[in-house]
Amino acid sequence: MFRLTVAGLLLGLGATAASAQQQPAPLRYSLRNPTPRAQLRKLHPDRPGITQSAFTLDPGHFQIETNLLRLRNGREDGLRHRELLLNHAVLKLGLSERTDVQVKLESYSIEKEWPTGQAEPERHRGFGDVSVRLKRNLIGDDENRPAGLAISGYVSVPTGGALGRGGLEAGLSLPFEYRLAESTGLSVQLQGDLEHDRDARRHYLALQPAATINHDFNSVLGSYAELMSHWDSRNGRWRNLLNIGPELTLSENVQLDMGAGLPLNSRTDREFFLGFTYRR
């Protein structure tokens, strides 16, 4: 009787092990097999500043991040200029659990420049350049890790005529995020760009480091402060800007942001903006 019982137990364990081996591996979500909405990660927009999120969009889902309104005012080498940007949008599509693709559209801009000694400004308006970006998360593309790291590259096509940069541009960035506390996060980004000078008809190297601190006061209201800089090899000068403002999380898939860009030196533009993010 004892031998039969032991034999039956061994046979049962063997059958269980064989059944476990035959079970399929956990599903990996993709563009054709989207992440269920109940399992979507926390909303991580790349806006409102230049510091991108280290997290990517869930596969099979779409997201729009747009500057509903951004106003810039500045002065350089005696020339005063003003830009009004309307609905400059980034369209995102999740390709895999660690990769998304983005298309940036400069939908409509109005530019004014007051040359020295000229009372009336020169005006340009219309559609701007188009950029395509690919982001790949390297570490921590989930909610269970305190840190995340990604690599992101883009190419910009000069479709904007007088409003655009006048030549192809490209860049590469490394965004990094670290959760300092349950409601506070730090984001740091290193970025290098190959930019184009329309007037000189040549390319030059530019660097854009940035760092952002986000803090959530509750489930709806949050705030951010971003310190960003821009340096280029044409003149070797730094431009420094402080972006500050509130963020409103209206739902798990909708966020509204607004704020001001405060110049920290004389050659940096002052900015005011209102933005919107929606995920579907």
Side-chain angles (χ1 to χ4, degrees):
M1 178 69 69
F2 178 73
R3 291 180 179 179
L4 291 175
T5 303
V6 172
L9 178 61
L10 292 176
L11 287 173
L13 292 174
T16 302
S19 176
Q21 291 179 354
Q22 293 174 1
Q23 289 181 355
L27 288 175
R28 302 292 291 179
Y29 300 118
S30 64
L31 184 60
R32 293 186 177 182
N33 181 31
T35 303
R37 295 191 67 82
Q39 299 180 28
L40 290 178
R41 296 187 287 256
K42 181 181 177 182
L43 189 64
H44 288 283
D46 288 332
R47 57 167 303 105
I50 69 167
T51 310
Q52 300 178 59
S53 169
F55 302 101
T56 57
L57 180 62
D58 292 273
H61 291 270
F62 170 79
Q63 185 165 304
I64 179 171
E65 303 176 15
T66 179
N67 268 312
L68 296 174
L69 172 69
R70 184 178 289 261
L71 177 65
R72 292 181 180 145
N73 285 286
R75 184 185 298 271
E76 184 175 2
D77 299 328
L79 300 179
R80 185 162 63 96
H81 58 268
R82 178 180 299 161
E83 291 179 284
L84 177 60
L85 314 180
L86 300 174
N87 195 34
H88 281 213
V90 175
L91 311 179
K92 291 184 178 181
L93 179 64
L95 300 181
S96 73
E97 293 183 335
R98 290 185 176 271
T99 306
D100 65 35
V101 63
Q102 311 172 18
V103 177
K104 180 181 178 181
L105 305 175
E106 298 179 355
S107 304
Y108 192 78
S109 304
I110 302 174
E111 294 184 359
K112 295 182 181 180
E113 185 176 84
W114 287 262
T116 304
Q118 184 172 322
E120 292 296 321
E122 295 180 359
R123 293 182 175 87
H124 302 286
R125 64 181 65 196
F127 187 84
D129 293 343
V130 174
S131 302
V132 179
R133 182 187 298 273
L134 189 70
K135 184 196 292 186
R136 172 73 176 180
N137 175 270
L138 304 176
I139 300 173
D141 207 2
D142 55 57
E143 301 297 329
N144 299 320
R145 300 188 185 184
L149 175 67
I151 184 169
S152 176
Y154 79 91
V155 174
S156 181
V157 182
T159 58
L163 284 169
R165 303 285 293 178
L168 282 171
E169 295 187 331
L172 191 68
S173 58
L174 290 172
F176 171 79
E177 288 194 36
Y178 185 77
R179 189 167 62 244
L180 300 173
E182 186 65 29
S183 58
T184 305
L186 171 67
S187 302
V188 178
Q189 177 173 288
L190 300 177
Q191 179 168 323
D193 301 291
L194 187 63
E195 299 184 349
H196 185 261
D197 187 324
R198 170 187 289 276
D199 296 329
R201 296 183 180 180
R202 66 181 181 89
H203 286 85
Y204 58 91
L205 177 65
L207 302 176
Q208 295 192 80
T212 303
I213 290 183
N214 294 82
H215 179 74
D216 295 329
F217 297 102
N218 51 49
S219 60
V220 176
L221 178 62
S223 65
Y224 65 89
E226 178 189 50
L227 179 62
M228 53 177 287
S229 297
H230 181 278
W231 176 91
D232 66 69
S233 58
R234 292 177 302 175
N235 46 42
R237 293 193 296 255
W238 285 96
R239 301 182 184 187
N240 304 308
L241 185 72
L242 176 64
N243 286 322
I244 56 173
E247 295 176 323
L248 300 175
T249 302
L250 306 182
S251 75
E252 293 181 349
N253 299 301
V254 180
Q255 180 174 296
L256 184 69
D257 64 74
M258 61 194 73
L262 308 177
L264 301 181
N265 54 14
S266 59
R267 295 181 178 274
T268 305
D269 293 350
R270 183 180 300 274
E271 302 185 6
F272 301 95
F273 50 86
L274 173 65
F276 179 76
T277 298
Y278 171 72
R279 176 178 63 184
R280 191 177 191 281

